[in-house]
Amino acid sequence: MKKGCPYGTHRVIEPKGALPQPAKKIDNTMEIYDNEILIDVQTLNIDSASFTQIKEEADGDVEKIKEIMKGIVAERGKHQNPVTGSGGMLIGTVAKIGPALEGKTDLKVGDKLATLVSLSLTPLVIDEITEVRKNIDQVDIKGQAILFETGIYAVLPNDIPENLALSALDVAGAPAQTAKLVRPGDTVLVIGGAGKSGMLCCYEAKRRAGVTGKVICLGHSEKSLAIAKRGNIADYYIAADATKPVEMMEKISEITNGQMADVTINNVNVPNTEMSSILATKTDGTIYFFSMATSFTKAALGAEGVGSDVNMIMGNGYTKGHAEVTLQILRDSKEIRDIYEELYA
Amino acid sequence: MKKGCPYGTHRVIEPKGALPQPAKKIDNTMEIYDNEILIDVQTLNIDSASFTQIKEEADGDVEKIKEIMKGIVAERGKHQNPVTGSGGMLIGTVAKIGPALEGKTDLKVGDKLATLVSLSLTPLVIDEITEVRKNIDQVDIKGQAILFETGIYAVLPNDIPENLALSALDVAGAPAQTAKLVRPGDTVLVIGGAGKSGMLCCYEAKRRAGVTGKVICLGHSEKSLAIAKRGNIADYYIAADATKPVEMMEKISEITNGQMADVTINNVNVPNTEMSSILATKTDGTIYFFSMATSFTKAALGAEGVGSDVNMIMGNGYTKGHAEVTLQILRDSKEIRDIYEELYA
Ligand SMILES: NC(=O)c1ccc[n+]([C@@H]2O[C@H](COP(=O)([O-])OP(=O)(O)OC[C@H]3O[C@@H](n4cnc5c(N)ncnc54)[C@H](OP(=O)(O)O)[C@@H]3O)[C@@H](O)[C@H]2O)c1
Ligand SMILES: NC(=O)c1ccc[n+]([C@@H]2O[C@H](COP(=O)([O-])OP(=O)(O)OC[C@H]3O[C@@H](n4cnc5c(N)ncnc54)[C@H](OP(=O)(O)O)[C@@H]3O)[C@@H](O)[C@H]2O)c1
């Protein structure tokens, strides 16, 4: 049996020396290397930006969607949308475990799991697409995939419906990072706090900041805020436009008596909110940017420009135990679970 | 006297509600608000990317350079290059201090200072350009500028020549952040360690990691590494291409016996080095990205893709005491001072 690299570079066909994610083409033969896991795939959860593009290209036609998806995998050996660059996740069952992983992994053949590394780096074969669920970006297939040694995953729990678990796991990094950052007594601002990841962050922040802390859920539309309020996740709910730094700063200043936030979590899905995040946070506070619309230069030069010593962290989608932390929220809060079932499952 | 906002928004003409840096045009009348400082400017140190562009546009002609620079300030009220978006710094003398700053600032009229906020947000008037020093990006002028209440600066020391101080202050954020991150015994990797900011970071890392720590200076060309070695700033000097993650990881693995770095400081001036930084660092280590070529999404998705829990910090150009930390290096190390005088003054 062939020996593999922990990062899967042994599967990269083009360009040589690259990692599987930036690679143009990877080897998707389903014969495993000694440190790989073979998965019988059940469902692909396509990244929202990617699936929107595919649906448009196919004019909403299901057969055309299937054709495009198969074409992507045939060309690249993985489901990485060539337009958006993004992937998604999958659910499946462990079919084989490479011998080099013995004693290293808790997985066993037959376990049902969700992969938490992107489909944009996962070797995949689609034999047949059996169902396309257009409005929740999910596609059932017959096919197989490979998980690399460093590939992260979560074994699916028995007490949470699969679709619900998948939706929450998609943003699992955010609440778990929040758990690591927030200390008792902190004032925490969650920008985009009424969104999918934002609500989980608010809940986790409230749990960590405790009765002596303050959690501010900042949303854009009153409609989302009304839903978030039902979740009972924050001490304050305010509507503001995070692309308007001065306006937002004034609102946060009012709520905090000019103290501003110790920790700010940015979960928006629009650009140009770096400066608001900086001005709303104490100069020795911390900002965690989860939003993929964050610009490195705007944040770095922005903080310097106003003489803020704030600690700015790039939202790593992974942190140890992130799946457990996130699924636990769905167990602990009936309110959030209800909202999630209504909106995302 | 009119009351000003600490961030200078009172000077923004267009678009309204913006901060001075992203603004298209700011008010550069030299009548101060109550919380502003008026500076008699002596020298502008134009950002390297900006000055290169201006020199090209002017075909190297000094009179044409002057004309372009005056044109920029006339149009925007600040020296923000419309092509590169960047500014620079200035040296000057305090001419007036707004009454609202009394007791808040240590500055007094007559102090000579360097502003450490970008020229891209500093109200400026150029009466005359008296000298253009083309090869070190410096321009002497007669003119005035405004420092906002939150604008950072450093009083120039008596024991270090002005040009030398200016060069070091330009990258002051990097060594000062290094000082905050590195603990005794740490293995520290500085990528681009033989460059202008990199050498200062190596020196500061060595000082903090101490005899039980290890500092690795990673450069690109043997030429720069040979110069860096004269500075006696690291335990290891290695040449590698940081855009090749696997190659670089193997080199760092060899030096660290597979342990990898506790702290990695990224000071390169080229794109696509996020993945190398991640793979060279322990999964519970820290990466500080100072390079302005850093891509947020490449870093965030890259770490997730290889299941690394690494803490990734965006290089805020400012941190408390950054000027002092940086100038002290030029006092403590004769070797670095000599190299800096040779290369950057
Ligand atoms: N780092 C990672 O690994 C990772 C993984 C997954 C997702 N993400 C990123 O996380 C972000 C959020 O994802 P999500 O699924 O939570 O998205 P979401 O459910 O669409 O939430 C986005 C929230 O931002 C709010 N918002 C939009 N514009 C705003 C503005 N101008 N001012 C204030 N709030 C505004 C929205 O408010 P309304 O509801 O009122 O419109 C919404 O509540 C995305 O950028 C996504 O790319 C990152
Ligand atoms: N965050 C902030 O506030 C701030 C402020 C100022 C500057 N910066 C940024 O800091 C960065 C460094 O600035 P600097 O003045 O120190 O630049 P510099 O003196 O030009 O140093 C860059 C270094 O990177 C090395 N390098 C280039 N390509 C490489 C590769 N492929 N692999 C490994 N090393 C490579 C170069 O090596 P060779 O010498 O061998 O070519 C050089 O030593 C820039 O990106 C700049 O934008 C940030």
Side-chain angles (χ1 to χ4, degrees):
Chain A
M1 192 175 258
K2 286 186 279 184
K3 278 190 195 309
C5 147
Y7 305 108
T9 53
H10 54 278
R11 293 249 177 199
V12 174
I13 295 176
E14 193 204 327
K16 279 286 166 215
L19 282 147
Q21 185 159 52
K24 281 219 162 53
K25 191 178 173 70
I26 62 176
D27 169 13
N28 65 346
T29 48
M30 288 295 141
E31 195 181 309
I32 61 171
Y33 284 64
D34 70 335
N35 66 342
E36 293 182 337
I37 292 170
L38 181 70
I39 300 168
D40 287 329
V41 181
Q42 166 189 326
T43 303
L44 303 177
N45 190 76
I46 305 298
D47 166 76
S48 149
S50 168
F51 202 63
T52 306
Q53 188 278 327
I54 293 173
K55 275 191 293 192
E56 273 170 18
E57 192 181 321
D59 254 339
D61 180 75
V62 170
E63 289 312 310
K64 194 85 216 304
I65 290 175
K66 291 183 182 177
E67 212 174 279
I68 294 171
M69 289 183 60
K70 282 184 180 173
I72 290 174
V73 175
E75 194 178 314
R76 308 201 147 204
K78 55 182 181 174
H79 200 285
Q80 182 176 35
N81 185 315
V83 180
T84 65
S86 56
M89 304 155 57
L90 64 81
I91 297 185
T93 310
V94 175
K96 253 186 220 166
I97 298 177
L101 295 180
E102 237 161 75
K104 278 192 179 178
T105 177
D106 298 333
L107 284 177
K108 31 184 211 318
V109 170
D111 277 350
K112 193 159 217 182
L113 53 69
T115 60
L116 302 178
V117 275
S118 174
L119 288 179
S120 65
L121 60 83
T122 304
L124 177 72
V125 164
I126 299 182
D127 295 322
E128 193 191 333
I129 298 184
T130 54
E131 199 190 325
V132 177
R133 289 191 291 283
K134 278 202 286 186
N135 50 346
I136 54 167
D137 308 348
Q138 291 184 0
V139 175
D140 289 340
I141 69 161
K142 288 202 173 108
Q144 292 189 306
I146 299 284
L147 188 66
F148 298 130
E149 184 174 343
T150 54
I152 46 177
Y153 59 84
V155 174
L156 288 174
N158 298 320
D159 59 337
I160 298 174
E162 278 170 17
N163 277 352
L164 192 61
L166 204 56
S167 289
L169 289 173
D170 184 31
V171 293
Q177 296 278 11
T178 304
K180 280 165 69 176
L181 288 176
V182 176
R183 300 269 161 276
D186 277 353
T187 295
V188 184
L189 166 64
V190 184
I191 308 181
K196 186 177 167 191
S197 58
M199 282 190 280
L200 299 175
C201 289
C202 284
Y203 184 85
E204 194 61 39
K206 189 73 203 117
R207 161 145 60 196
R208 306 282 165 176
V211 284
T212 56
K214 251 196 207 105
V215 174
I216 306 167
C217 171
L218 186 141
H220 198 206
S221 66
E222 292 291 350
K223 185 169 160 247
S224 309
L225 279 171
I227 295 175
K229 267 184 208 163
R230 280 171 35 206
N232 189 24
I233 52 178
D235 301 294
Y236 301 87
Y237 300 84
I238 58 170
D241 182 349
T243 65
K244 304 256 162 67
V246 178
E247 191 183 305
M248 210 188 91
M249 177 181 68
E250 281 164 2
K251 290 197 180 173
I252 303 303
S253 179
E254 204 185 301
I255 290 180
T256 62
N257 288 321
Q259 298 295 302
M260 314 313 280
D262 295 289
V263 177
T264 293
I265 318 273
N266 184 320
N267 296 72
V268 303
N269 56 358
V270 295
N272 293 317
T273 63
E274 297 82 4
M275 209 62 229
S276 302
S277 308
I278 293 165
L279 292 184
T281 311
K282 288 184 183 166
T283 172
D284 59 351
T286 296
I287 306 173
Y288 172 76
F289 287 102
F290 189 65
S291 162
M292 282 292 160
T294 306
S295 151
F296 181 88
T297 42
K298 282 182 190 161
L301 294 178
E304 184 187 89
V306 296
S308 169
D309 198 357
V310 69
N311 179 26
M312 298 187 289
I313 304 179
M314 291 168 147
N316 182 344
Y318 171 68
T319 187
K320 232 172 121 187
H322 68 333
E324 288 83 341
V325 169
T326 302
L327 294 175
Q328 192 58 35
I329 298 176
L330 295 181
R331 295 191 185 99
D332 292 346
S333 165
K334 186 179 173 329
E335 291 86 353
I336 293 188
R337 188 160 168 163
D338 288 346
I339 296 173
Y340 254 65
E341 268 171 3
E342 199 177 306
L343 299 181
Y344 310 118
Chain B
M1 191 174 261
K2 286 187 280 185
K3 276 189 195 312
C5 148
Y7 306 108
T9 53
H10 54 277
R11 292 251 178 197
V12 173
I13 296 177
E14 194 203 328
K16 278 285 165 216
L19 282 147
Q21 185 160 50
K24 281 217 162 53
K25 192 179 172 68
I26 61 176
D27 169 14
N28 64 347
T29 48
M30 289 294 141
E31 194 181 309
I32 62 170
Y33 284 64
D34 69 335
N35 66 342
E36 293 183 337
I37 292 170
L38 181 70
I39 300 169
D40 287 329
V41 182
Q42 165 189 326
T43 303
L44 303 176
N45 189 74
I46 305 299
D47 166 76
S48 150
S50 168
F51 203 62
T52 305
Q53 189 277 328
I54 294 173
K55 276 190 293 191
E56 272 170 20
E57 193 181 322
D59 256 339
D61 180 76
V62 169
E63 289 312 312
K64 193 86 214 302
I65 290 175
K66 291 183 182 176
E67 211 174 280
I68 295 171
M69 289 183 61
K70 283 184 178 172
I72 291 173
V73 175
E75 194 178 314
R76 307 200 148 206
K78 54 183 180 173
H79 200 285
Q80 182 175 33
N81 185 315
V83 180
T84 66
S86 56
M89 302 153 59
L90 66 79
I91 296 184
T93 309
V94 175
K96 253 186 219 165
I97 298 176
L101 296 179
E102 235 162 78
K104 278 192 179 180
T105 179
D106 298 334
L107 285 177
K108 32 185 209 318
V109 169
D111 277 349
K112 191 159 218 183
L113 53 69
T115 60
L116 301 177
V117 276
S118 174
L119 287 180
S120 65
L121 61 83
T122 304
L124 177 70
V125 164
I126 299 183
D127 295 322
E128 192 191 335
I129 297 184
T130 53
E131 198 190 325
V132 177
R133 290 191 290 283
K134 277 202 286 186
N135 50 347
I136 54 167
D137 308 347
Q138 292 186 356
V139 175
D140 290 340
I141 70 162
K142 287 201 175 113
Q144 291 189 307
I146 299 283
L147 188 66
F148 297 130
E149 184 172 342
T150 55
I152 46 176
Y153 60 83
V155 174
L156 288 175
N158 299 321
D159 58 339
I160 298 174
E162 278 169 16
N163 278 351
L164 192 61
L166 205 56
S167 290
L169 289 172
D170 184 31
V171 292
Q177 296 279 10
T178 303
K180 279 166 69 176
L181 289 175
V182 176
R183 300 271 161 275
D186 277 353
T187 295
V188 184
L189 166 64
V190 184
I191 307 181
K196 186 176 166 190
S197 58
M199 283 189 280
L200 299 175
C201 289
C202 285
Y203 184 87
E204 194 61 38
K206 189 74 204 118
R207 157 141 68 194
R208 305 283 164 176
V211 284
T212 56
K214 255 197 205 94
V215 174
I216 305 167
C217 171
L218 187 142
H220 198 207
S221 65
E222 292 291 352
K223 184 170 160 247
S224 308
L225 279 171
I227 296 175
K229 267 183 208 163
R230 279 171 35 206
N232 189 24
I233 53 179
D235 301 294
Y236 300 87
Y237 300 85
I238 58 171
D241 183 349
T243 64
K244 304 257 162 68
V246 179
E247 190 184 306
M248 211 188 91
M249 176 182 68
E250 282 163 2
K251 290 196 180 172
I252 302 304
S253 179
E254 205 185 300
I255 291 181
T256 62
N257 287 322
Q259 297 296 302
M260 313 315 279
D262 295 290
V263 177
T264 293
I265 317 273
N266 185 318
N267 296 72
V268 304
N269 56 358
V270 295
N272 294 317
T273 63
E274 296 83 2
M275 210 60 232
S276 302
S277 308
I278 293 165
L279 293 184
T281 311
K282 288 184 183 167
T283 172
D284 58 353
T286 296
I287 306 172
Y288 173 76
F289 287 101
F290 189 65
S291 162
M292 282 293 160
T294 305
S295 151
F296 182 87
T297 44
K298 281 182 191 162
L301 294 177
E304 184 187 270
V306 295
S308 169
D309 199 356
V310 68
N311 180 27
M312 298 186 289
I313 304 179
M314 291 168 148
N316 181 344
Y318 170 67
T319 187
K320 231 170 121 188
H322 68 334
E324 289 83 341
V325 169
T326 302
L327 293 175
Q328 193 58 35
I329 297 177
L330 295 181
R331 294 192 186 99
D332 293 346
S333 166
K334 186 180 172 328
E335 292 86 354
I336 294 187
R337 188 160 168 163
D338 287 347
I339 296 172
Y340 253 65
E341 269 172 2
E342 198 178 306
L343 299 180
Y344 311 117

